[in-house]
Amino acid sequence: MNSVDTHPVVTAVTARIAERSADGRRAYLDRIRAAGSRGPARMSLACSNIAHGFAACSPADKLALRGETRPNIAIVSAYNDMLSAHQPYWDYPRVLRDAISGARGVAQFAGGVPAMCDGITQGRAGMELSLFSRDVIAMSTAIALSHDMFDGALLLGVCDKIVPGLVIGALSFGHLPVLLVPAGPMPSGLPNKDKSRVRQLHAEGKATRAELLAAESASYHGPGTCTFYGTANSNQLLMEVMGLHLPGASFVAPNTPLREALTAAAGRRIVELTSLRGGAAPIGEVIDEHAIVNGVVALLATGGSTNHTMHLVAMAAAAGIDLRWDDFAELSAVVPTLTKIYPNGAADINAFQTAGGMPLLIGELLSAGLLHDDVTTVAGHGLSVHYRSAPALEADGEIAWGKGPSDSGDKTVLRSAADPFAPDGGLRMLDGALGRAVIKVSAVAPEHRVVRAPARVFDDQEGFLTAFRDGELDRDTVAVVRFQGPRANGMPELHKLTPALGVLQDRGHAIALVTDGRMSGASGKVPTAIHLTPEAAADGPIARIQDGDLIELDAETGELDILVAPEEFAARIPATCDTAASGTGRELFAALRGSVGPADRGATVFGAA
């Protein structure tokens, strides 16, 4: 056990979350414990039901599933060839089946879930489906597990909305042990800084499309997760620190002997965690208030994806836990920034892994009293006991977990809690006359963190880009891009704006973006107030902003204000926008847009009405 006292702010925030969540958490635990007390659900199925359930199994597996001695493990996968991060999953079911069989269990591929690539859909109509895909994935996961045939589950997913969706769905079956199986990052290609430079040159008309495509192809070039520290890699980091990955599994490269050995080890481990084998790690018990706070702390300490100010809130809610933006803000004030991974620095996720990776990061946060050690994980009880270790292959091909590194191999990438890059976290909350928003400051230079400039208002991305190309924004500007919230159009990421914003800032102008939409998990060097709530489509103050209004964004004090007389501002008629989108499947999501909750409550359709 970790002997360091937990930081008083971490203790206080956790206690506050537990107190406000008491009724919801109690009801959730009562429900999953009642389900768990009934034993393997398949044993209560009628003969016709169970015959359907194992009709395609081998004779040996049919025999095993008739009794109560061999656990049946569900495999739920987000495999497809469109996502480089998910392409390695094509062969995982075979590896997992073999490993589970060797552990005297049975595995069935229970279902696939959709997985869209935000990198492909950036700036396109399909991006308006992206955030809602998380809730569709949650429902798809529930459908896969609804057959009541399973004693545990393995979830195969990496990217953006996919991991949160898988977790939310699995928490509806919180009595089952669940283990997430990662695939690992692609090898390092063209450095992310060089890629961004070419993007900005192209935005200025100084690089051709062929040159841009060559740079992008050299950066995104093979199977595995994109190597910048966006939402996909933030997902992996969170799943490990929250105890749903095997220790050290997050950032091992795909198609390597260690990666395959870790995958097989996940299959064996989930069998051990089932109630039939005396396991004690159902996902609904693993994801408790301590695990949620650990996730927030790790996100802040690494300057992780802003998307998780919604995803962590939604995952917590699925476990009966009421997490709020105020909790992020209070923790951010005391959690130091320990990493510099692009876009927060020059290094990529492979450099982080080489510098010491997750074992060192977790060890540093534990030593500083910033993580709860007294937690249940898929590896066993206690974070320090299991997650300070690193996996390595032995001569026989099996994995041994040994002591992780005690010091960083590259202090430009990963530092100790005693020598951080910054004394506070990489994400902050903004509040003021325009509402509440999130800002990522870990990649924003201190001299750019306070902007006071006239507003230029747009109701879509194309309006901004047209104004940029026409030279209308070549001055100090706060770009306001509204009607981009979840109720308006599904809250697409606006990463397409990043190169142009960077160009304007590099020209010496004071530049900021204010939006009720999202930015990519790779939000960069321009101060950006995102997830602004209430959104324009919910009659938020952003709908009353006019061109020329003076706006102040102060990331140091956490203020977001409009310098217009309050009585004048309140008297304005809010702008409206037609949000009845169709084409590219958007019409199918009208019901979700109509029922979604606000960004600060997770932007979810579950319990949002």
Side-chain angles (χ1 to χ4, degrees):
M1 295 290 288
N2 183 26
S3 60
V4 177
D5 290 338
T6 305
H7 192 288
V9 172
V10 174
T11 299
V13 170
T14 307
R16 186 175 64 219
I17 293 170
E19 182 178 4
R20 85 165 76 99
S21 306
D23 290 343
R25 181 65 175 167
R26 185 181 306 111
Y28 173 78
L29 290 175
D30 286 347
R31 175 166 59 84
I32 67 168
R33 287 169 180 168
S37 69
R38 293 191 287 269
R42 69 175 181 277
M43 300 315 300
S44 63
L45 294 179
C47 293
S48 176
N49 300 56
I50 199 167
H52 277 287
F54 61 43
C57 291
S58 69
D61 285 348
K62 286 180 181 179
L63 184 61
L65 293 178
R66 290 173 183 267
E68 295 187 40
T69 58
R70 293 213 174 188
N72 190 29
I73 305 301
I75 300 173
V76 180
S77 178
Y79 161 73
N80 68 45
D81 289 333
M82 295 301 297
L83 281 73
S84 61
H86 288 203
Q87 190 276 339
Y89 282 138
W90 76 273
D91 198 37
Y92 272 39
R94 175 193 62 81
V95 175
L96 292 168
R97 282 193 184 99
D98 289 347
I100 291 167
S101 178
R104 299 185 69 252
V106 176
Q108 289 184 293
F109 191 95
V113 303
M116 62 181 292
C117 180
D118 289 2
I120 297 173
T121 57
Q122 286 287 347
R124 310 288 298 179
M127 175 52 80
E128 296 182 16
L129 278 58
S130 174
L131 181 61
F132 288 136
S133 76
R134 180 195 66 193
D135 293 1
V136 172
I137 290 163
M139 290 185 282
S140 299
T141 302
I143 290 170
L145 298 177
S146 68
H147 297 96
D148 278 344
M149 285 285 294
F150 306 111
D151 303 286
L154 295 169
L155 307 181
L156 279 54
V158 172
C159 292
D160 300 280
K161 319 313 158 297
I162 300 153
V163 164
L166 288 167
V167 171
I168 292 168
L171 283 166
S172 288
F173 297 80
H175 62 290
L176 295 178
V178 173
L179 199 156
L180 277 91
V181 188
M186 70 175 67
S188 301
L190 180 73
N192 287 292
K193 187 176 181 180
D194 293 344
K195 173 194 66 182
S196 293
R197 178 183 59 82
V198 178
R199 284 179 175 176
Q200 287 197 188
L201 289 172
H202 183 263
E204 293 183 279
K206 297 178 180 178
T208 66
R209 176 180 169 84
E211 290 170 328
L212 178 61
L213 182 56
E216 299 284 358
S217 300
S219 181
Y220 309 116
H221 61 93
T225 313
C226 305
T227 59
F228 64 86
Y229 189 42
T231 310
N233 284 319
S234 296
N235 283 339
Q236 304 314 294
L237 181 139
L238 292 182
M239 291 302 99
E240 185 158 340
V241 81
M242 291 167 68
L244 291 175
H245 275 179
L246 290 180
S250 296
F251 301 119
V252 175
N255 303 317
T256 61
L258 181 56
R259 176 83 276 159
E260 182 160 336
L262 282 164
T263 301
R268 292 191 294 271
R269 181 59 181 163
I270 194 65
V271 173
E272 296 171 1
L273 291 174
T274 63
S275 61
L276 290 176
R277 298 292 170 84
I283 187 173
E285 306 273 3
V286 171
I287 302 302
D288 63 4
E289 296 90 342
H290 289 162
I292 291 293
V293 169
N294 283 352
V296 174
V297 167
L299 185 77
L300 295 168
T302 55
S305 172
T306 52
N307 283 324
H308 276 294
T309 60
M310 293 182 297
H311 295 329
L312 273 168
V313 171
M315 285 188 281
I321 298 168
D322 185 354
L323 177 67
R324 300 183 183 178
W325 281 3
D326 291 335
D327 304 318
F328 285 84
E330 191 168 341
L331 290 168
S332 187
V334 300
V335 174
T337 301
L338 302 187
T339 69
K340 284 285 188 182
I341 317 169
Y342 186 85
N344 311 320
D348 68 8
I349 201 69
N350 293 316
F352 166 74
Q353 174 78 350
T354 301
M358 293 302 296
L360 184 59
L361 175 71
I362 290 173
E364 287 298 325
L365 291 172
L366 281 166
S367 296
L370 294 168
L371 291 178
H372 292 288
D373 190 19
D374 186 20
V375 291
T376 299
T377 76
V378 297
H381 194 78
L383 202 61
S384 63
V385 174
H386 300 284
Y387 285 82
R388 279 178 148 165
S389 60
L393 278 180
E394 297 187 307
D396 60 1
E398 295 298 314
I399 293 180
W401 274 271
K403 183 179 179 181
S406 58
D407 196 16
S408 174
D410 187 344
K411 294 183 180 179
T412 68
V413 179
L414 175 57
R415 290 189 182 176
S416 68
D419 181 32
F421 290 102
D424 51 6
L427 299 179
R428 294 180 186 172
M429 305 301 125
L430 301 173
D431 205 347
L434 292 179
R436 305 195 74 196
V438 175
I439 187 168
K440 184 173 182 176
V441 296
S442 48
V444 178
E447 64 268 23
H448 295 309
R449 293 181 181 177
V450 179
V451 176
R452 177 187 285 193
R456 182 65 192 276
V457 183
F458 305 94
D459 290 343
D460 55 46
Q461 297 182 73
E462 287 307 317
F464 170 89
L465 292 171
T466 298
F468 169 76
R469 287 190 291 265
D470 292 346
E472 297 174 11
L473 304 180
D474 207 356
R475 54 181 170 77
D476 292 356
T477 304
V478 174
V480 177
V481 184
R482 62 192 180 190
F483 295 104
Q484 304 300 306
R487 183 182 295 189
N489 65 351
M491 206 179 190
E493 289 183 348
L494 308 179
H495 190 47
K496 188 177 180 179
L497 308 183
T498 299
L501 291 165
V503 167
L504 294 171
Q505 187 183 78
D506 288 351
R507 290 175 181 171
H509 303 305
I511 299 295
L513 173 67
V514 174
T515 180
D516 47 11
R518 296 183 293 129
M519 289 295 283
S520 166
S523 303
K525 64 185 182 182
V526 175
T528 305
I530 57 176
H531 307 177
L532 184 62
T533 186
E535 64 174 289
D539 196 25
I542 190 174
R544 290 174 167 79
I545 301 175
Q546 297 176 358
D547 285 345
D549 288 345
L550 199 61
I551 291 180
E552 184 172 68
L553 186 162
D554 191 330
E556 300 292 358
T557 63
E559 295 176 274
L560 179 62
D561 285 312
I562 183 165
L563 305 182
V564 175
E567 59 275 11
E568 176 193 339
F569 190 70
R572 289 178 180 174
I573 297 173
T576 59
C577 185
D578 180 11
T579 58
S582 62
T584 320
R586 289 177 290 175
E587 62 275 13
L588 302 177
F589 287 76
L592 278 70
R593 291 193 295 272
S595 62
V596 69
D600 61 344
R601 303 306 301 138
T604 178
V605 301
F606 304 129

